[in-house]
Structure formats: C-alpha cells, structure tokens
C-alpha cells in the first residue's frame, strides 16, 4: 500500500470543485487518509516547488499557488502515486486524456487544478511538509 501527496490547487478551490475532484480520487480506489484546507504564502509555495526554482514559470507558479486557499491531502492505495497521476491526466489540459481531472477541470498548463507527487521519495518529503504522523488516519 502506497501514499501520495495531492493538492487541489487555487483555480479548483475557487470554483468549488473540491468535492468533484475528491469523487474522482475515491472512484479510482484512492482513500483520502488526511486532508486540510490552507492558504500558502508565496514563500511556502516556493519551498514546496523548490525543484522548479530555475524554471521561467517559477514566479508565476508560486504566486498562483498563494493566490487562494488550497486543499492538501494524502491519498492511499495500491500504486497510489501512479494511479493518482493517471486520474490527474497530463500537466497540460490540452493533452490530458478524456475523463481525467485536468481534462475536465483545468484551465491552463499553469492553472491545472491538481498536484500529485511523482515518486516515492518526493511523496515522503511532500507528505512530511504538510502533515504530522498523527494526522494520517489510514
Ligand atoms: P505537479 O503535480 O503540479 O507537480 O504537476 P506535473 O508533475 O504534472 O508538472 P511539473 O512538475 O512538470 O510542473 C509543476 C507545475 O508547474 C505544473 O503542474 C504547473 O502548475 C506548473 N507549470 C509547468 N509548466 C508550466 C508552464 O509552462 N507555465 C506555467 N505558468 N506553469 C507551468
Ligand atoms: Mg510535478
């Protein structure tokens, strides 16, 4: 059983899509074992997305992530990391498969509704950034 860190991004919380996105996760067999709504500062978003610090879109990305509240959550299931990324769809919604969260809800490559960890090592770091062990209720 695996865990991954998911974020419902500002474009989606703003449009009241939290429930519809959570339904996609649960329908795919992912269990939400921790969840909270927070409003990141730009600095906190920058620490989270530090791997993208040198990318031209870093400033836009961190401003966006701090623009409205987000919902951070831990999803658990068999192959949760890969399964979550499958349910999310491609980064660019124009390339996302039909039925995926990004195909249905994302507005652009930047404002693409959800984040999901990309490997076990990053999932562990990202989960620890937002949650204490006591908050994970499997
Ligand atoms: P995450 O789950 O959010 O990490 O998305 P990803 O793994 O599908 O994409 P990646 O890690 O490559 O990029 C991280 C995030 O940066 C994306 O989800 C987008 O929100 C943003 N991003 C990526 N490319 C661009 C871009 O060209 N322009 C802008 N504004 N944002 C981008
Ligand atoms: Mg990524």
């Amino acid at each position: 059983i695996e865990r991954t860190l998911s974020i419902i991004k500002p474009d989606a919380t703003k449009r009241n899509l939290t429930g519809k996105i959570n339904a996609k996760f649960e329908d795919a067999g992912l269990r939400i074992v921790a969840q909270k709504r927070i409003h990141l500062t730009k600095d906190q978003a920058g620490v989270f997305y530090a791997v993208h610090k040198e990318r031209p879109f870093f400033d836009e990305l961190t401003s966006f992530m701090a623009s409205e509240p987000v919902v951070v959550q831990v999803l658990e299931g068999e192959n949760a990391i890969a399964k979550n990324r499958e349910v999310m769809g491609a980064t660019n919604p124009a390339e996302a498969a039909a039925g995926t969260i990004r195909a249905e809800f994302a507005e652009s490559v930047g404002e693409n509704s959800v984040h999901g960890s990309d490997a076990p090592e990053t999932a562990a770091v990202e989960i620890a950034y937002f949650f204490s062990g006591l908050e994970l209720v499997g």
Side-chain angles (χ1 to χ4, degrees), residues 49 52 85 115-118:
Y49 273 127
H52 297 305
R85 291 184 70 86
H115 161 84
S117 306
D118 57 16

Side-chain angles (χ1 to χ4, degrees), residues 44-114:
Q44 289 168 339
V47 170
F48 179 76
Y49 273 127
V51 355
H52 297 305
K53 200 157 39 189
E54 307 305 328
R55 308 280 283 277
F57 56 80
F58 182 73
D59 188 68
E60 197 180 326
L61 173 61
T62 53
S63 294
F64 164 62
M65 291 299 289
S67 66
E68 294 274 339
V70 297
V71 173
V72 294
Q73 47 193 192
V74 178
L75 308 180
E76 182 182 275
E78 293 295 333
N79 298 312
I81 295 169
K83 187 176 284 180
N84 180 38
R85 291 184 70 86
E86 197 178 306
V87 175
M88 287 163 55
T91 310
N92 182 347
E95 291 160 14
T100 62
I101 291 168
R102 283 165 168 167
E104 285 191 23
F105 304 124
E107 306 200 290
S108 65
V109 65
E111 306 203 359
N112 59 1
S113 302
V114 280

